[in-house]
Amino acid sequence: DILRELRRENEETKVLILSARSQIADKVEGLDAGANDYLAKPFHLEELAARIRSLTLRQFTQNDVVLTCGDVSFDTKSRKAIVGGEPLPLTRKETGILEYLMVNRGRPISQEEFIEHVWDNSVDNFSNSIRVHISALRKKLRTSLGYDPIRNRIGEGYVMGEEE
């Protein structure tokens, strides 16, 4: 009830629930009430620190409904991409990747960060899955735009929206 009231008054406050209640229903209830993350006890302090870092780095898009980067637009409510005025059909993972890149425009995103924010943590860090999905997204964008708006900064990650 407190969290629901907080969300009515302030959408921007970042909330991480730390709880001994670890059932899926408890987690779903907390997240549906407005929490940004949920961590069940027992937990490692390193994981808690990483989740706090993640929350403080994350930019929330409640006020910014449509993100733009060049000729690419992304509607955060409908979760649809528009390129040059035309809809761009994307898979669920490609949509998540594009949204996360655009929310973090100009900042390199590592494979680990994609795992944390786009995947469900069940993917292996050494899996080729992330690179395959990013490659497919880049191919679709390149076909629509005539160029690739996503760049790979070696040792840092993928970046979109940074000046050359």
Side-chain angles (χ1 to χ4, degrees):
D1 291 335
I2 293 169
L3 182 53
R4 288 183 203 284
E5 180 63 30
L6 173 68
R7 283 296 174 235
R8 276 192 290 274
E9 294 177 15
N10 182 346
E11 294 179 358
E12 296 300 316
T13 300
K14 297 167 186 173
V15 176
L16 168 62
I17 294 177
L18 301 176
S19 176
R21 300 177 76 177
S22 62
Q23 297 297 313
I24 294 298
D26 297 321
K27 292 177 183 180
V28 169
E29 183 181 356
L31 293 168
D32 284 348
N36 301 103
D37 201 353
Y38 191 107
L39 187 58
K41 295 177 188 177
F43 53 83
H44 293 279
L45 290 178
E46 295 86 9
E47 181 180 6
L48 174 61
R51 287 176 184 258
I52 291 169
R53 279 193 307 276
S54 172
L55 278 176
T56 57
L57 290 174
R58 222 180 275 173
Q59 292 178 8
F60 295 95
T61 59
Q62 285 101 345
N63 295 334
D64 220 1
V65 176
V66 178
L67 304 171
T68 58
C69 182
D71 289 330
V72 180
S73 298
F74 186 83
D75 186 318
T76 60
K77 286 194 175 187
S78 68
R79 299 192 42 79
K80 302 289 182 202
I82 306 291
V83 177
E86 296 294 318
L88 182 66
L90 299 174
T91 67
R92 191 171 61 90
K93 293 298 184 197
E94 291 165 354
T95 299
I97 291 167
L98 180 62
E99 179 179 28
Y100 198 70
L101 281 167
M102 291 183 76
V103 165
N104 292 280
R105 185 178 166 175
R107 185 173 73 80
I109 308 298
S110 68
Q111 185 165 307
E112 294 78 20
E113 197 169 341
F114 278 122
I115 289 171
E116 185 175 334
H117 295 282
V118 179
W119 269 257
D120 59 6
N121 287 331
S122 64
V123 69
D124 180 1
N125 275 0
F126 300 104
S127 166
N128 209 27
S129 175
I130 295 164
R131 284 186 290 277
V132 168
H133 287 287
I134 290 174
S135 177
L137 172 62
R138 291 175 87 171
K139 183 177 180 184
K140 288 178 181 181
L141 288 168
R142 195 171 28 254
T143 299
S144 293
L145 292 167
Y147 67 94
D148 185 357
I150 302 171
R151 287 174 308 290
N152 186 7
R153 273 208 211 151
I154 296 172
E156 293 183 66
Y158 298 93
V159 66
M160 184 173 178
E162 180 186 79
E163 298 301 319
E164 290 288 327

